[in-house]
Amino acid sequence: MALNNRTTNVLAGVLLFLMLALAVGSIRNDSLTMDELAHLPAGYSYLTQQDMRLNPEHPPLIKDLAALPLLFIKDIKFPSEIKAWQEDINGQWEFGSHFLYQSDNPAEKMIFWGRIPMILILILLGFYIFKWARELFGNKAALLALFFFSFSPTFLAHGRLVTTDVGAAAGVFIATYYFIKALKWPNKRNIILAGVALGIAELCKFSVILLLPFFVFLALAWWLVKLGSWKRTLKILVLILVIGYLLIWPVYQYHVWGYPEERQVNDAQDFLAAYPDLIKQPIIWAADKPILRPYAQYLTGLFMVFHRASFGHTTYFLGEVSNLGWKNYFPVVYSIKVPLAFHLLTLIALLYAAYQIKRPLWLRNHFPEFAMLVFIGIYWLTSLTSSLNIGVRHLLPVFPFAFLLVSGMVINFTGKAPFSKLKYVGLALLLLWQVASVASIYPHFLAYFNELVGGPDRGYVYTVDSNLDWGQDLKRLKSWVEKKGIDKVYVDYFGGSSPEYYLKEKFSPWQGQRDPAEFPKGNYLAISATFLQGGRGKPAPGFDQPTGCYQWLDDYQPVAKIGYSIFVFRID
């Protein structure tokens, strides 16, 4: 049965509204997560001080948007006198804690309103997923792609938070849409839109730098496949890149306007200390030149990210602890953090696509699909070679392309005889399964794990950090402590929120490195899953840091699990 445009638009609106409602409704009891502690205060400092000394390892745009509603909240105090602002080199964590929880500011109101622009970016991405899928595959595929997006637990989890991951996914997807449009119809409007979209994408997250080799490859492929003029294709590519990188200048110019030149130079020297002179000296030299300062700040942040990606991040995975990463990390977390219904439909789509691609002239007639496959390949290859293994969220830029490709293939396959009606029934059952699987975990979307590993209750056995525990359940711990009438709780908390702020006199700090014999018997110990599993895991080959600090808790069973991410033990 064909769907007319009006019905399709209504159904798309319903899906986007449902996603909006799920996102807004689920943040009410979520505490501030780890990266939000740096991003939201940094964004406010950018808008009010025009000074980017905090969190330069991420471009400013997403943080600016998050902080924009805070400008309309009265009596927010900016702690410009504290050491984290005055003296520390990138004192983002201490500054964030002081700004939100120690300056008599309305933290709850600031966090809630700071997340609303993030949700709007999420909805914007959904609109473009629907738009491009409809142009390529028609109304049914557009609705299916939007369904995959609207009921993606990873997008629902991270699209509500003041972080850069969903912004990066939106930037990559929208920039690619306009770039291919400019290749197909290279008029002035399309080229300008493609350039602006590229610039905005690069201002979302530094990993989006992958668009540069991706666009160069697409331009080369377009010229070879379409047998057009190489000069014309090169001109389109160069114009788009120039417009995109020209856009970076005014945005960064605003963000260094109040940043003292000497401070920017000194900070750049510190941030780039590990790099050879050939790389760092030109950036440091440009850091106090009025015209070049914006690009110097941009490049400083970019190289900070390159350095971090090469050195990794200490985390727990499948019983081990390492800072060097695992080659199977992203394949495993993708397999267990994505709904099984989508995995099954992906398999069907891949088998059907393999049959379709054998047809002559497939590439010439399906260039957008080819481009999506190329980006998925580039991004996966980059992720597999990275030592930075901190969450499935880092794969978000490939998700929208996967949604489009799977929806297009599945609708094409389902609509063809034989057994078309039976195939539609099977598709409907799989979609109902995904709805039930995702809705059942509301509002704990961050802790979603599929049935392959036993759901969210068993997720901590496999991986933690932003896959499960980012500090989102501290307010729920407060509610549990109050309900149980507990006078004191020892807490080892991983996240961006403040146990002192919420638990007040009931809070007593605990660290895993302390001797268990020091723990006063008859008390409660609440531990974030990230610290608990990190303190239980065994060192991976090549990891020489202390481990095993929480193995003594193997003799205890938790008396409560707070929102899947905080384990509470009674130590008698």
Side-chain angles (χ1 to χ4, degrees):
M1 182 180 69
L3 284 172
N4 61 46
N5 288 340
R6 182 178 179 182
T7 301
T8 302
N9 291 339
V10 170
L11 292 175
V14 169
L15 284 172
L16 288 175
F17 178 78
L18 280 173
M19 190 177 208
L20 178 68
L22 289 171
V24 174
S26 62
I27 61 174
R28 185 170 58 91
N29 289 318
D30 268 13
S31 307
L32 193 75
T33 58
M34 180 58 79
D35 284 13
E36 291 181 292
L37 179 62
H39 291 169
L40 184 59
Y44 189 80
S45 75
Y46 302 163
L47 296 182
T48 59
Q49 311 299 310
Q50 295 176 278
D51 185 325
M52 202 176 171
R53 70 183 67 183
L54 299 176
N55 197 241
E57 65 267 33
H58 292 285
L61 183 59
I62 298 299
K63 293 171 283 185
D64 289 345
L65 293 173
L68 193 61
L70 274 58
L71 299 180
F72 301 93
I73 299 175
K74 294 182 179 179
D75 301 324
I76 291 180
K77 303 173 186 66
F78 187 85
S80 58
E81 75 287 350
I82 65 174
K83 179 177 176 291
W85 178 261
Q86 292 285 347
E87 302 176 27
D88 292 354
I89 303 297
N90 192 17
Q92 54 186 333
W93 306 109
E94 181 63 30
F95 179 86
S97 179
H98 203 286
F99 175 66
L100 286 166
Y101 298 115
Q102 301 170 42
S103 298
D104 197 29
N105 284 327
E108 289 289 301
K109 182 185 292 186
M110 293 159 67
I111 294 166
F112 176 83
W113 286 107
R115 288 168 169 171
I116 295 301
M118 305 298 97
I119 296 173
L120 297 180
I121 293 172
L122 182 72
I123 299 305
L124 177 67
L125 174 56
F127 168 80
Y128 270 94
I129 288 173
F130 172 75
K131 175 181 174 64
W132 202 1
R134 186 187 221 171
E135 292 174 5
L136 291 175
F137 307 123
N139 288 339
K140 290 181 181 179
L143 287 174
L144 183 58
L146 186 57
F147 171 89
F148 291 146
F149 174 73
S150 300
F151 287 94
S152 164
T154 305
F155 271 115
L156 283 168
H158 293 280
R160 313 162 304 142
L161 306 177
V162 184
T163 58
T164 57
D165 302 293
V166 173
V172 165
F173 188 82
I174 296 170
T176 303
Y177 169 78
Y178 282 113
F179 184 77
I180 293 176
K181 196 170 184 179
L183 288 176
K184 285 185 173 182
W185 301 287
N187 55 49
K188 184 184 296 185
R189 179 179 181 273
N190 287 339
I191 291 173
I192 291 173
L193 284 173
V196 170
L198 173 63
I200 291 173
E202 297 294 344
L203 289 165
C204 290
K205 190 169 185 173
F206 283 119
S207 60
V208 178
I209 196 71
L210 285 173
L211 284 179
L212 293 186
F214 176 52
F215 282 3
V216 170
F217 179 84
L218 286 189
L220 178 63
W222 179 263
W223 167 57
L224 292 174
V225 170
K226 297 297 182 177
L227 303 176
S229 166
W230 69 267
K231 290 183 179 180
R232 184 185 187 189
T233 304
L234 180 62
K235 180 181 177 182
I236 295 167
L237 174 66
V238 170
L239 284 173
I240 290 171
L241 295 182
V242 167
I243 293 170
Y245 278 86
L246 281 177
L247 183 63
I248 288 173
W249 189 91
V251 175
Y252 266 85
Q253 175 62 34
Y254 177 89
H255 290 79
V256 299
W257 196 268
Y259 193 4
E261 293 179 2
E262 183 179 355
R263 175 70 186 256
Q264 184 179 346
V265 170
N266 292 336
D267 286 352
Q269 288 174 335
D270 186 84
F271 296 142
L272 303 175
Y275 282 99
D277 287 346
L278 183 64
I279 292 176
K280 68 183 179 183
Q281 287 305 327
I283 299 174
I284 294 169
W285 172 83
D288 63 355
K289 306 301 183 292
I291 299 299
L292 299 177
R293 287 183 69 200
Y295 286 117
Q297 185 69 5
Y298 172 81
L299 291 171
T300 296
L302 181 64
F303 281 100
M304 287 175 71
V305 169
F306 289 159
H307 183 261
R308 188 189 179 200
S310 64
F311 281 85
H313 171 85
T314 300
T315 191
Y316 164 91
F317 177 64
L318 294 181
E320 292 185 339
V321 179
S322 176
N323 69 319
L324 300 176
W326 298 264
K327 295 299 181 186
N328 63 332
Y329 178 85
F330 283 112
V332 170
V333 296
Y334 182 80
S335 68
I336 63 181
K337 290 285 290 177
V338 170
L340 283 178
F342 184 73
H343 285 323
L344 291 173
L345 290 170
T346 300
L347 180 60
I348 292 170
L350 286 172
L351 293 173
Y352 188 65
Y355 167 76
Q356 293 286 95
I357 290 173
K358 292 179 181 179
R359 295 182 177 182
L361 302 179
W362 182 89
L363 178 56
R364 183 174 293 189
N365 296 327
H366 297 86
F367 190 81
E369 296 96 305
F370 167 74
M372 295 178 199
L373 289 170
V374 169
F375 183 81
I376 290 172
I378 291 174
Y379 202 89
W380 265 102
L381 179 63
T382 305
S383 300
L384 291 172
T385 57
S386 172
S387 298
L388 197 61
N389 293 170
I390 56 178
V392 72
R393 63 192 174 93
H394 280 189
L395 293 176
L396 276 175
V398 305
F399 278 45
F401 296 118
F403 295 158
L404 255 72
L405 292 172
V406 171
S407 66
M409 288 296 101
V410 166
I411 291 300
N412 196 336
F413 168 75
T414 306
K416 289 188 180 297
F419 310 118
S420 179
K421 289 184 179 180
L422 186 61
K423 286 187 283 188
Y424 272 117
V425 170
L427 175 60
L429 291 174
L430 287 174
L431 298 186
L432 286 173
W433 179 19
Q434 180 157 334
V435 170
S437 178
V438 175
S440 66
I441 199 175
Y442 176 90
H444 307 287
F445 295 118
L446 196 68
Y448 179 87
F449 285 81
N450 63 36
E451 296 83 354
L452 188 67
V453 293
D457 276 319
R458 297 286 297 166
Y460 73 96
V461 175
Y462 298 86
T463 180
V464 286
D465 211 300
S466 63
N467 291 313
L468 172 77
D469 166 34
W470 227 8
Q472 72 274 14
D473 288 318
L474 184 61
K475 288 165 64 176
R476 296 182 179 96
L477 175 64
K478 172 193 173 184
S479 299
W480 182 84
V481 167
E482 291 175 347
K483 182 180 179 180
K484 294 293 183 180
I486 296 170
D487 295 327
K488 178 181 284 190
V489 58
Y490 289 80
V491 180
D492 193 5
Y493 170 71
F494 175 78
S497 197
S498 168
E500 298 95 330
Y501 183 84
Y502 288 105
L503 294 168
K504 297 183 171 51
E505 71 281 353
K506 297 177 184 290
F507 165 72
S508 187
W510 182 262
Q511 292 82 38
Q513 292 74 25
R514 292 178 63 178
D515 185 348
E518 297 178 17
F519 192 88
K521 302 299 183 183
N523 281 282
Y524 291 93
L525 174 58
I527 312 174
S528 292
T530 297
F531 288 149
L532 178 63
Q533 294 302 90
R536 283 172 161 174
K538 298 178 180 179
F543 184 72
D544 59 0
Q545 300 301 311
T547 57
C549 64
Y550 276 128
Q551 288 180 355
W552 64 278
L553 285 175
D554 290 346
D555 296 330
Y556 293 85
Q557 289 296 319
V559 297
K561 190 188 293 184
I562 312 299
Y564 304 105
S565 77
I566 298 178
F567 290 69
V568 183
F569 297 86
R570 170 84 180 190
I571 310 299
D572 293 316

